[in-house]
Amino acid sequence: MSSTTQEITPLFQLDGKVAILTGASKGIGAAMARGLAEFGAKVVISSRKQEAVDTVAEELKSQGLEAIGIACHVGEAAQLQQLVDKTIEAFGRIDIIINNAATNPIFATLDQSDPAVFDKIMHVNVRAPFLLCNYAYPHLCKQGGSIINISSVEGMKPSTGLGLYSSSKSALIALTQSQAKEWGKDGIRSNVICPGLIKTKFSAALWQNEAILKHIESQLPAARMGRPNEMAGLAVFLASDAASYCTGSVFTADGGYLIAG
């Protein structure tokens, strides 16, 4: 092993770090939680149902990893505050926040979209990450930390029928960069990951439609949709000291969607 490798490898380790992940009972969130735990982090698995988060946490613990489950509906401010408080009670610190929870209850053009749906999407996709990070800010300030917001390529290249979702994900990118600019002085980094089409329950309406899936894959340089575990490595990197000079950055993992024709 070269001296260069010996110097770089420890930068990816997360030993002693505590991470909160929302929307982590399945899909991308669960894959990222596993990735962080395998690199040494103590992970807080959060989603709406206690049974669901306990299942993921118990699976990780059965493999010698450190994890707990804390149920939280991110649309409820009081529950977000409780998520922070319970994490501090359990582990005494917070180093990493991954805002992965999101909603998209509609596929419609903007003129056909109900204002109430707009409010719901913005409430979960933008307001919740804003609040969770603000509640965690006093704890992140103590030693610095990493915020990773999960946006979407839809926030950079909107598709017809996903206008409200795309708008919320674009707003999340701007929120990320504002956090990076304002909190850099506190040693807090904030970056955003924009996945493309990943095979999860959330995107099932797209990939379960064979015609839509074939069309999308025919346009992608990678010629296929992504898998949840393909997002985990990027999360580990951004959470770790290996990304110590990365803040306010937008990272895409989309199989080439943004450069497709």
Side-chain angles (χ1 to χ4, degrees):
M1 183 180 293
S2 71
S3 59
T4 301
T5 302
Q6 290 174 330
E7 293 170 359
I8 292 175
T9 301
L11 295 177
F12 289 88
Q13 296 304 313
L14 299 171
D15 301 270
K17 305 285 188 182
V18 175
I20 296 175
L21 301 94
T22 67
S25 64
K26 57 184 180 296
I28 292 173
M32 289 181 172
R34 170 173 291 280
L36 267 60
E38 288 182 357
F39 276 80
K42 302 172 184 178
V43 297
V44 177
I45 310 297
S46 183
S47 189
R48 285 186 295 176
K49 297 181 180 180
Q50 189 65 48
E51 181 180 0
V53 297
D54 284 344
T55 297
V56 177
E58 290 302 321
E59 181 181 353
L60 294 178
K61 287 193 288 186
S62 71
Q63 297 168 15
L65 306 174
E66 290 196 66
I68 62 171
I70 300 176
C72 175
H73 188 317
V74 298
E76 301 293 334
Q79 292 192 35
L80 289 168
Q81 182 66 70
Q82 288 176 3
L83 176 58
V84 170
D85 294 343
K86 289 180 179 180
T87 299
I88 294 299
E89 289 175 12
F91 294 125
R93 62 188 289 159
I94 298 172
D95 302 274
I96 301 158
I97 301 283
I98 298 185
N99 286 298
N100 177 65
T103 189
N104 182 41
I106 188 173
F107 184 84
T109 57
L110 293 173
D111 60 288
Q112 296 174 334
S113 300
D114 192 301
V117 177
F118 174 90
D119 290 343
K120 180 178 181 178
I121 290 174
M122 292 297 175
H123 201 79
V124 172
N125 295 4
V126 185
R127 182 177 182 268
F130 160 73
L131 288 178
L132 179 56
C133 291
N134 277 10
Y135 294 153
Y137 173 73
H139 305 287
L140 292 170
C141 278
K142 293 178 180 179
Q143 71 284 318
S146 173
I147 296 168
I148 305 169
N149 293 319
I150 310 304
S151 179
S152 167
V153 290
E154 287 296 327
M156 305 173 71
K157 185 180 177 182
S159 299
T160 301
L162 293 174
L164 297 186
Y165 178 74
S166 298
S167 297
S168 73
K169 290 303 187 178
S170 181
L172 186 56
I173 293 171
L175 175 64
T176 301
Q177 294 177 329
S178 294
Q179 290 170 336
K181 182 171 287 189
E182 294 186 14
W183 295 347
K185 67 184 188 309
D186 302 305
I188 300 170
R189 299 180 293 106
S190 187
N191 294 286
V192 64
I193 297 175
C194 292
L197 178 60
I198 310 299
K199 190 174 184 179
T200 65
K201 183 178 179 180
F202 187 83
S203 64
L206 295 176
W207 57 263
Q208 286 182 348
N209 184 310
E210 187 174 348
I212 293 177
L213 179 60
K214 283 186 176 180
H215 173 72
I216 293 174
E217 291 184 331
S218 71
Q219 302 298 310
L220 293 176
R224 64 173 178 83
M225 78 174 102
R227 300 181 296 272
N229 62 3
E230 291 180 300
M231 305 297 107
L234 191 49
V236 170
F237 167 68
L238 291 174
S240 74
D241 289 341
S244 59
Y245 202 54
C246 297
T247 194
S249 299
V250 180
F251 294 83
T252 59
D254 63 356
Y257 174 78
L258 289 181
I259 61 171

